[in-house]
Amino acid sequence: NNWRAEALNAAFSGRGGHQMITFKFREQQLLWIFGGRGGDNDGKQGEIFYNDIWVATVTTTSVSPTWTNFQDYYKPNVSVPWSPRTGHTVTVLPASPGNRFGKIVYLYGGFNREEGFLDDTWVWRPELTNG
């Protein structure tokens, strides 16, 4: 068995219903966490839905990556326009000769208490992000 638990090294608390993917951004291979649902385990804080993005550099020597909020680390004015959610999907369409914008990230659907089940699709082109 090659699985082992690693330290999280993150400023965010535990969550579920998020999406974790990996792709290269500005020549760095990164792990990405999008949104999800959290709260405290004793029920006092209640349920919280997130629309945040966290990134961690992936290397062959770093087993326990340190997570950084994408908006704080890369460009403070990069907005995350989609509403907080859990249970959504995120996928990356790789760059191709017919795709002049490079890779495209898609975020679809999910759920939150205010809006219920979501059927929106959000598109981001990382190569067009300045800063």
Side-chain angles (χ1 to χ4, degrees):
N1 184 356
N2 293 331
W3 286 92
R4 63 186 223 193
E6 295 292 341
L8 186 58
N9 296 325
F12 58 88
S13 58
R15 60 181 63 196
H18 57 281
Q19 284 287 292
M20 178 187 275
I21 62 173
T22 183
F23 65 89
K24 219 176 225 189
F25 180 73
R26 297 190 182 153
E27 303 307 315
Q28 287 188 305
Q29 189 66 34
L30 300 174
L31 284 173
W32 299 74
I33 290 180
F34 293 80
R37 181 184 74 230
D40 57 359
N41 290 330
D42 60 12
K44 292 179 184 172
Q45 184 181 4
E47 202 169 40
I48 300 169
F49 293 88
Y50 299 108
N51 68 333
D52 53 356
I53 300 173
W54 292 85
V55 296
T57 304
V58 179
T59 67
T60 56
T61 58
S62 174
V63 181
S64 298
T66 298
W67 292 90
T68 305
N69 186 287
F70 177 70
Q71 292 171 285
D72 295 339
Y73 187 76
Y74 284 99
K75 187 175 179 187
N77 63 352
V78 169
S79 66
V80 179
W82 37 275
S83 59
R85 62 191 62 209
T86 186
H88 51 287
T89 59
V90 177
T91 192
V92 178
L93 179 66
S96 66
N99 174 3
R100 65 185 182 106
F101 296 112
K103 71 181 72 64
I104 301 173
V105 179
Y106 293 91
L107 181 142
Y108 171 75
F111 175 85
N112 69 34
R113 291 271 181 245
E114 292 76 32
E115 300 168 276
F117 289 101
L118 304 164
D119 65 353
D120 52 349
T121 301
W122 294 87
V123 178
W124 176 51
R125 293 176 173 89
E127 280 78 4
L128 299 180
T129 300
N130 298 321

